[in-house]
Amino acid sequence: VIGYGVDHDGHVLLAQGDQTIDLARVPAVGVDPQVWASGSLNAFFALGPQTWSAVYERLQDLDPPPEAIRTRPQNLRLPFAVADYVDFYASEEHATNMGHILRPGSEPLPKAWKHLPIGYHGRSGTVIVSGDPVPRPHGLRGPGDFGPTARLDLEVELGFVVGQGSPRGRPVTVDAAPDHIFGVVLLNDWSARDIQSFEYVPLGPFLGKSFATQISPWVVPLAALEPFRTPGPRQYPEPAGYLRQSQPGNYDIRLELALNGTTLSCAFARGLYWSAAQQIAHLTVNGASLRPGDLVATGTISGPGVGSLIELTNNGESPITLDDGTSRIWLEDGDEVVIRGWCGDGALDIGEVRGRIVP
Amino acid sequence: VIGYGVDHDGHVLLAQGDQTIDLARVPAVGVDPQVWASGSLNAFFALGPQTWSAVYERLQDLDPPPEAIRTRPQNLRLPFAVADYVDFYASEEHATNMGHILRPGSEPLPKAWKHLPIGYHGRSGTVIVSGDPVPRPHGLRGPGDFGPTARLDLEVELGFVVGQGSPRGRPVTVDAAPDHIFGVVLLNDWSARDIQSFEYVPLGPFLGKSFATQISPWVVPLAALEPFRTPGPRQYPEPAGYLRQSQPGNYDIRLELALNGTTLSCAFARGLYWSAAQQIAHLTVNGASLRPGDLVATGTISGPGVGSLIELTNNGESPITLDDGTSRIWLEDGDEVVIRGWCGDGALDIGEVRGRIVP
């Protein structure tokens, strides 16, 4: 894996292949040591894209001093303080699957879907890191029907981490958006389908999602992903001017989903209809500001594999069988979900997000 | 007005009647001066409800030293860093009006409306303070139809400010919720109705709201509102156990809406169907944590007056006439909106939120 992370003592680390470096102990990197002592990546984010590039390049060339080499920790802290968390709905395969499942016989895509990246704000205070337990949420599943969710699901996503903010009233263009993105994490958008389906009209998902959103601990810098940048699918109808991009906006990332050690599916982010740059241009076009630590997620990534149990089981109608011989429709207590990511044909490991359901 | 605020130099102030006190200059208040030097109220929030009460009581009795008396500033800073911002939909009159306007002929209330407080997460990074300008947002109003919103609206609301957080996995009960609420602000949830109506299916409001949410600068402590606590309307069907409250949960607050000096309406928070305590119990029942600085808004307050132009003009069909002889359907550039609030029969002034539309 390659990426920046923060250990439980608050040290900022760089993982690079098998090596783990304590950045506070590499003076040659040329950044105020206070930045590495702050216990989160936000202070590094605030230095801006030129500094991120300069640091990243220097670290590629550098032979780190022996006192900077660390054993890679098993568990890491949430690597940055999340400012606002926005979740999009950018996979056409996923949105189409959900339309067929939830509104059979109707047009599967919402009417605005091909005109703008549909998204909503989630709860930033419940973004957790890989390894944190996920308690099964309680809630209302219908009138008077309160209890633990019986339809606990996962969603395979990528999260783009905003490094550089932007002022209110100044939209970020599609072409400038990559300068605002520090890097990428894997993201599991845990979902309670019964709570969600009772509550979501007309204001969208709320408690069905807000109990936990889990991310991988190493933020992979965009610079490392640059060789894997690739065009997304052709967009028709042609999007509005502020959404037109002149450069390839997708990344060739493969996401593998495993439940209790059984691989359930494999999906590809290169097929996402809306790119992260388009999502950022969209979310700021009304004048909304960005802040370092904003987290912008893709929504469930499906295609060709699917990134949620609701799709895998056709809304609970077709159980799946695990390697241990048990079957599942929804998640059970004790189940462990792991999402792993790689770029290209496995050339670059981008880590994993791992979570276990507890009662 | 009574309340805690922060001036542009970062001094924490208490407004109390005509007096304004610089709290860092009142040693007798018994709080570490660092708390008042932090430039926001979040450090004070973190001290917890017993300290808030003790400080508030001491300040009632105290004759502040002359060096602590300040001229009340015309403009103040955003008084606290907003953690998560949640907006509810708690007024039955408003939800009913919106149902009639948007879905004529159908049941006006969404099916879950009387079973749980419907809400969604908004953008905390664009919460601004009274006096800040509000640029007219641009966005897509239909396929290919990009431009400045032609249907700019306001929403009259109250915002409850969380002072004391709660850990993930530990729901806050209705009866414990007031211990987590530091105080109240007036809130204008600026809305672009054309952008909102194109984007909001199925994930809820996004860019139609996220350009600006404006609050009053003085956070009125809950202790000051205690004499005005009052029962809300009877709830039928009886809500689920976690939403049943044993104490009166509403506040007798009158909200007056003025546009360019013309009073448009007057609404009463005492009639809200769902109380702030119920909203907090609901938003944590799935295990979501609270943080100091979470902002929990009521949604538009209507009854008997209405708290938005979409209601006042019946979705643009009936223009309103201002005292200067001009008429309005939606807001025009240069328009100034002021929401003022009082408790009881004017006994306690809780301030104002003021914003002007700029192109």
Side-chain angles (χ1 to χ4, degrees):
Chain A
V1 68
I2 192 159
Y4 296 91
V6 182
D7 73 11
H8 280 289
D9 300 318
H11 301 121
V12 176
L13 308 175
L14 176 72
Q16 199 161 218
D18 292 332
Q19 212 170 47
T20 307
I21 306 168
D22 181 341
L23 293 171
R25 303 203 169 203
V26 192
V29 98
V31 165
D32 183 345
Q34 290 294 333
V35 166
W36 309 126
S38 63
S40 106
L41 294 176
N42 298 64
F44 185 36
F45 293 166
L47 300 180
Q50 290 179 327
T51 304
W52 313 334
S53 298
V55 167
Y56 185 72
E57 278 166 33
R58 248 173 260 149
L59 286 164
Q60 302 308 295
D61 301 336
L62 200 81
D63 222 2
E67 67 272 19
I69 308 290
R70 298 278 301 274
T71 308
R72 184 159 304 169
Q74 282 299 304
N75 290 297
L76 292 147
R77 184 190 278 202
L78 190 68
F80 58 97
V82 181
D84 273 299
Y85 163 47
V86 172
D87 196 19
F88 280 94
Y89 194 46
S91 160
E92 183 171 0
E93 290 83 349
H94 171 67
T96 304
N97 291 340
M98 292 302 280
H100 284 305
I101 288 170
L102 301 178
R103 296 174 294 275
S106 310
E107 190 55 48
L109 290 180
K111 73 176 170 14
W113 200 92
K114 291 236 164 167
H115 298 283
L116 52 81
I118 289 179
Y120 71 104
H121 284 89
R123 190 164 186 82
S124 54
T126 49
V127 176
I128 60 176
V129 72
S130 181
D132 283 348
V134 179
R136 178 179 297 272
H138 286 58
L140 278 172
R141 299 147 318 177
D145 179 22
F146 180 82
T149 177
R151 303 180 66 190
L152 187 56
D153 200 353
L154 56 94
E155 294 191 340
V156 174
E157 308 194 7
L158 287 176
F160 288 81
V161 183
V162 171
Q164 178 173 241
S166 67
R168 193 168 67 91
R170 298 283 296 275
V172 173
T173 64
V174 177
D175 288 338
D179 286 344
H180 293 265
I181 302 172
F182 178 83
V184 170
V185 290
L186 301 166
L187 186 147
N188 185 347
D189 181 25
W190 297 98
S191 300
R193 300 296 180 193
D194 40 8
I195 296 172
Q196 184 184 351
S197 72
F198 185 53
E199 74 182 357
Y200 89 106
V201 174
L203 301 183
F206 186 40
L207 299 199
K209 301 279 194 174
S210 66
F211 57 99
T213 304
Q214 196 160 30
I215 64 173
S216 55
W218 300 105
V219 185
V220 183
L222 214 59
L225 297 176
E226 186 58 32
F228 306 99
R229 197 130 72 99
T230 178
R234 195 173 85 89
Q235 296 183 308
Y236 184 83
E238 190 176 25
Y242 76 92
L243 291 168
R244 279 177 218 151
Q245 51 192 352
S246 59
Q247 308 206 323
N250 282 21
Y251 294 91
D252 183 16
I253 296 174
R254 176 162 59 94
L255 299 117
E256 209 175 270
L257 167 66
L259 170 56
N260 297 344
T262 302
T263 300
L264 296 185
S265 83
C266 188
F268 293 88
R270 66 167 175 264
L272 287 171
Y273 192 85
W274 297 106
S275 72
Q278 289 177 313
Q279 290 165 7
I280 283 176
H282 181 63
L283 85 83
T284 61
V285 76
N286 68 348
S289 47
L290 295 176
R291 292 181 292 173
D294 280 347
L295 178 60
V296 179
T298 55
T300 308
I301 302 176
S302 294
V306 297
S308 64
L309 292 182
I310 194 171
E311 292 167 90
L312 273 165
T313 68
N314 191 23
N315 201 21
E317 289 183 9
S318 317
I320 47 177
T321 303
L322 306 185
D323 291 348
D324 65 7
T326 63
S327 70
R328 289 290 181 287
I329 294 176
W330 307 105
L331 295 170
E332 298 185 358
D333 291 345
D335 280 354
E336 187 180 53
V337 174
V338 181
I339 302 167
R340 290 193 186 84
W342 292 269
C343 288
D345 199 21
L348 177 66
D349 177 0
I350 63 166
E352 65 172 39
V353 53
R354 176 183 295 266
R356 189 183 292 278
I357 308 303
V358 300
Chain B
V1 67
I2 191 159
Y4 296 91
V6 182
D7 73 11
H8 279 290
D9 299 318
H11 300 122
V12 177
L13 308 175
L14 176 72
Q16 198 161 220
D18 292 334
Q19 211 170 48
T20 307
I21 306 169
D22 182 341
L23 292 172
R25 302 202 170 204
V26 192
V29 97
V31 164
D32 183 345
Q34 290 294 334
V35 167
W36 309 127
S38 64
S40 106
L41 293 176
N42 298 63
F44 185 35
F45 293 166
L47 300 180
Q50 290 179 326
T51 304
W52 313 334
S53 299
V55 167
Y56 185 71
E57 278 166 34
R58 247 172 261 149
L59 286 164
Q60 302 309 294
D61 301 336
L62 200 80
D63 222 5
E67 67 272 20
I69 309 289
R70 297 279 299 274
T71 308
R72 184 159 304 167
Q74 283 298 307
N75 290 296
L76 292 148
R77 183 191 278 201
L78 189 69
F80 58 96
V82 181
D84 272 299
Y85 163 46
V86 172
D87 197 18
F88 281 94
Y89 194 46
S91 160
E92 183 171 0
E93 290 83 348
H94 171 67
T96 304
N97 291 340
M98 293 302 282
H100 285 304
I101 289 170
L102 301 178
R103 296 173 294 274
S106 309
E107 189 57 46
L109 291 179
K111 72 175 171 14
W113 201 91
K114 291 236 164 169
H115 299 283
L116 52 80
I118 290 179
Y120 72 104
H121 285 90
R123 190 162 186 83
S124 54
T126 48
V127 176
I128 60 176
V129 72
S130 182
D132 284 348
V134 178
R136 179 178 296 272
H138 286 58
L140 278 171
R141 300 148 316 176
D145 179 22
F146 179 82
T149 177
R151 302 180 68 191
L152 186 55
D153 200 353
L154 56 95
E155 294 192 339
V156 174
E157 308 194 9
L158 286 176
F160 288 81
V161 182
V162 171
Q164 178 173 241
S166 67
R168 194 168 66 92
R170 298 282 296 275
V172 173
T173 64
V174 177
D175 289 338
D179 286 345
H180 293 266
I181 302 173
F182 178 83
V184 170
V185 290
L186 301 165
L187 187 147
N188 185 348
D189 180 26
W190 297 99
S191 300
R193 301 296 180 192
D194 41 8
I195 296 172
Q196 184 183 351
S197 73
F198 185 54
E199 74 183 354
Y200 89 106
V201 175
L203 300 182
F206 186 40
L207 299 199
K209 301 278 194 174
S210 66
F211 56 99
T213 305
Q214 197 160 29
I215 63 173
S216 55
W218 300 105
V219 185
V220 183
L222 214 60
L225 297 175
E226 185 58 32
F228 306 99
R229 197 130 72 99
T230 179
R234 196 172 84 88
Q235 295 182 308
Y236 183 83
E238 190 176 26
Y242 76 92
L243 291 168
R244 279 178 219 152
Q245 51 193 351
S246 60
Q247 307 206 324
N250 282 22
Y251 294 91
D252 183 15
I253 295 174
R254 177 161 58 94
L255 300 118
E256 210 175 271
L257 167 65
L259 171 56
N260 298 345
T262 302
T263 300
L264 296 184
S265 84
C266 188
F268 293 89
R270 66 169 176 263
L272 287 171
Y273 193 84
W274 298 105
S275 72
Q278 289 177 314
Q279 290 164 7
I280 283 177
H282 181 63
L283 85 84
T284 61
V285 75
N286 69 348
S289 46
L290 294 177
R291 291 181 292 173
D294 280 348
L295 178 60
V296 179
T298 55
T300 308
I301 301 176
S302 295
V306 299
S308 64
L309 293 182
I310 193 172
E311 291 167 89
L312 273 164
T313 67
N314 191 23
N315 201 21
E317 290 183 7
S318 317
I320 48 177
T321 303
L322 305 185
D323 291 349
D324 65 5
T326 63
S327 70
R328 289 290 182 287
I329 294 176
W330 308 105
L331 295 170
E332 298 185 357
D333 291 346
D335 281 353
E336 187 179 54
V337 174
V338 180
I339 302 167
R340 291 194 185 84
W342 292 269
C343 288
D345 199 19
L348 178 66
D349 177 0
I350 63 167
E352 65 172 41
V353 53
R354 176 183 296 266
R356 189 183 292 277
I357 308 304
V358 300

